[in-house]
Amino acid sequence: MAPDRIIFHIDVNSAFLSWEALEHLKKGSGVDLRTVPSIVAGDPSKRHGVVLARSIPAKKYGIVTGEPVVKAVKKCPEAIIVPPSHDVYARYSKAMTDLLYSFSPDLEKYSIDECFINATGLRLRYRNDFFSLAHLMKNRIRDELGFTVNVGISENKLLAKMASDFDKPDKVHTLFKEEMQEKMWPLPVSRLFMVGRASSAKFQVMGIKTIGDLARSDVLLLEQKFGKYGRMIWEYANGIDDSPVQTQESEAKDLSNETTVEFDITDRDTARLYLLSLSETVGMRLRKAGLYAGVIAVNIKNSSFESYSKRKKINNPTQDTMAIFETAAGLFDEAWRKDPIRLIGVATSDLVREPVEQLNMFDGMSSRWSERKSLNESIDKIREKYGSKYIVRGSLLKLNRDHERNK
Ligand SMILES: [Mg+2]
């Protein structure tokens, strides 16, 4: 029986490392970083930087993503270490989504190097041959953009994501429900999406070692022990997920930006720095679109995958970075449950074309406002011309450094 939906998950193989390799080659480096032991690591000069990505030869030395650089270098002293360059990654990421948009507009950008495509509508054009379609996408990215991806095909996002994580690189895999028992259930439970180290350890104690063990366990018991997360993870183990592919269209009405963090945010200061960076992007997009936001919201997803958010209607719709940030930071303080944060977002809605900020003319705000306005404008201009790395507000400099360290 044909499934109702066909979902693709496209995932760049060792994204940061592949993109660095391409960039280095472009700049005339004779070495392809992908072919030698190499790592992308936050602030290699500092001893506590962590490995953000590693080449396949580096993997052969046992170097893993997320470990301290010091440890990695002990495993392979000759490894080449390159610092991350987020502007470069944003450029390659956009090139990939632009290419994929030519296949379907029904695309959700999930992270800088991953997206989902709802391919259901392409059924007729590709005569149900989704395997060939996935190969076509994968090969075009490889041949036109120079890096490789894995494509996972299934009937929902969860299984498609699990499928793209199978054997790498440059491969297409399917994982339909009838294939779960053979392809997914024998895997260790830690391989399941959203199972972290902590929950994996708890599952081991309960005798749950594989995804299959989890799928066959008592959902009520899991719910009792882990709450909402328990049911969700049991559903995932059974391949149950009906979340929609969220196309960018829904973004046009509301302007938002969010980011997943690979290492959980656990303190207020770091969260505030992320909020500032997100407010900067949202503010810039509002200013570009000539829009002012009447509602500002903060979205948080914790490490147990629970989402919550808080929103506020503001009296004077704004497009000012600092105004957005100040509201977002206040909302964050009210909302945050002190749990580890996996994803953080700033969203705006109730967008209007006319500012009402002139209303503040008589309360002493106007000069501050016009100062900010011209600051925003100059920052936008410079960022547009030279890329975002050339001008960042003072505290963002620290964020970028910490961000690289924390990622
Ligand atoms: Mg990837």
Side-chain angles (χ1 to χ4, degrees):
M1 200 184 71
D4 293 342
R5 295 193 299 161
I6 294 289
I7 309 294
F8 285 8
H9 180 251
I10 296 105
D11 186 359
V12 180
N13 302 128
S14 338
F16 289 0
L17 195 110
S18 311
W19 292 338
E20 286 294 347
L22 283 174
E23 202 61 13
H24 281 241
L25 287 173
K26 229 193 251 171
K27 286 183 183 149
S29 154
V31 184
D32 185 337
L33 291 171
R34 289 169 290 194
T35 63
V36 296
S38 63
I39 59 178
V40 176
D43 209 348
S45 64
K46 299 241 168 62
R47 297 183 63 82
H48 47 265
V50 297
V51 176
L52 301 173
R54 84 278 196 247
S55 64
I56 289 165
K59 187 182 171 185
K60 292 203 176 113
Y61 283 88
I63 295 174
V64 293
T65 306
E67 78 179 335
V69 177
V70 199
K71 233 174 131 186
V73 170
K74 261 186 207 142
K75 290 176 184 169
C76 177
E78 68 269 33
I80 298 174
I81 307 173
V82 291
S85 24
H86 294 288
D87 287 351
V88 170
Y89 309 156
R91 209 169 67 227
Y92 283 104
S93 174
K94 186 174 180 298
M96 177 171 82
T97 41
D98 285 349
L99 190 152
L100 290 171
Y101 272 128
S102 70
F103 286 94
S104 168
D106 211 350
L107 179 149
E108 173 183 346
K109 218 175 146 142
Y110 184 70
S111 74
I112 193 153
D113 74 314
E114 289 169 76
C115 52
F116 290 102
I117 289 180
N118 184 348
T120 318
L122 302 174
R123 225 183 261 267
L124 281 179
R125 186 163 358 139
Y126 294 92
R127 297 159 200 251
N128 274 323
D129 190 358
F130 293 108
F131 204 69
S132 301
L133 171 60
H135 270 95
L136 187 63
M137 287 178 183
K138 169 183 91 58
N139 295 345
R140 277 196 55 192
I141 292 171
R142 186 193 58 207
D143 301 340
E144 293 172 30
L145 305 177
F147 55 88
T148 62
V149 299
N150 262 35
V151 184
I153 309 176
S154 187
E155 54 208 87
N156 62 40
K157 284 162 78 175
L158 180 266
L159 290 176
K161 187 164 165 62
M162 292 299 296
S164 70
D165 197 37
F166 293 160
D167 194 31
K168 294 169 188 173
D170 201 21
K171 297 225 158 58
V172 175
H173 301 282
T174 61
L175 178 58
F176 289 100
K177 278 200 177 150
E178 63 267 22
E179 300 175 291
M180 280 192 316
Q181 201 166 345
E182 175 207 343
K183 292 185 175 176
M184 184 168 87
W185 284 6
L187 299 175
V189 69
S190 57
R191 287 277 300 273
L192 184 61
F193 179 56
M194 279 298 150
V195 172
R197 217 172 302 153
S199 31
S200 174
K202 284 180 199 156
F203 289 141
Q204 302 294 328
V205 173
M206 296 167 73
I208 297 171
K209 292 192 165 54
T210 63
I211 299 178
D213 291 341
L214 183 61
R216 285 180 295 257
S217 17
D218 181 357
V219 61
L220 294 177
L221 184 79
L222 290 169
E223 218 166 17
Q224 215 173 53
K225 250 183 124 72
F226 302 100
K228 196 177 149 197
Y229 174 74
R231 170 165 290 271
M232 185 195 80
I233 218 72
W234 176 85
E235 285 180 351
Y236 282 1
N238 283 287
I240 301 167
D241 166 41
D242 56 13
S243 60
V245 170
Q246 288 173 321
T247 52
Q248 311 308 117
E249 260 131 16
S250 54
E251 247 187 324
K253 285 181 262 121
D254 327 315
L255 266 169
S256 67
N257 197 25
E258 56 186 24
T259 187
T260 36
V261 283
E262 275 173 47
F263 294 85
D264 297 344
I265 301 175
T266 51
D267 68 283
R268 180 174 178 265
D269 285 345
T270 309
R272 285 174 69 90
L273 288 166
Y274 273 93
L275 289 172
L276 178 56
S277 164
L278 294 166
S279 302
E280 182 85 85
T281 312
V282 170
M284 185 173 169
R285 290 169 61 199
L286 285 169
R287 294 190 288 273
K288 237 181 149 167
L291 294 168
Y292 296 76
V295 170
I296 291 168
V298 167
N299 302 320
I300 298 168
K301 195 175 277 178
N302 67 20
S303 55
S304 312
F305 208 43
E306 284 162 337
S307 302
Y308 54 96
S309 62
K310 192 151 183 94
R311 46 187 273 135
K312 187 180 179 186
K313 194 159 177 61
I314 50 175
N315 293 329
N316 300 313
T318 186
Q319 53 174 205
D320 172 54
T321 294
M322 287 317 286
I324 296 167
F325 168 68
E326 280 155 19
T327 308
L331 288 168
F332 176 82
D333 285 342
E334 287 169 44
W336 188 37
R337 299 172 188 162
K338 309 281 181 302
D339 41 9
I341 299 168
R342 184 68 58 84
L343 178 146
I344 186 160
V346 171
T348 58
S349 53
D350 279 20
L351 305 183
V352 293
R353 293 232 161 252
E354 290 299 314
V356 255
E357 267 157 303
Q358 286 88 333
L359 288 175
N360 283 327
M361 204 70 89
F362 302 105
D363 62 14
M365 284 288 288
S366 64
S367 64
R368 199 166 139 231
W369 175 66
S370 60
E371 251 169 52
R372 278 181 178 185
K373 192 167 185 292
S374 60
L375 175 66
N376 285 329
E377 277 163 9
S378 4
I379 289 182
D380 289 353
K381 260 189 217 132
I382 297 169
R383 280 172 58 133
E384 248 161 60
K385 193 157 174 200
Y386 300 104
S388 58
K389 77 173 174 215
Y390 285 94
I391 184 158
V392 280
R393 282 162 214 259
S395 48
L396 279 186
L397 284 172
K398 183 179 177 314
L399 169 63
N400 283 341
R401 261 180 266 130
D402 292 353
H403 176 67
E404 283 156 14
R405 210 175 291 142
N406 289 340
K407 263 191 94 173

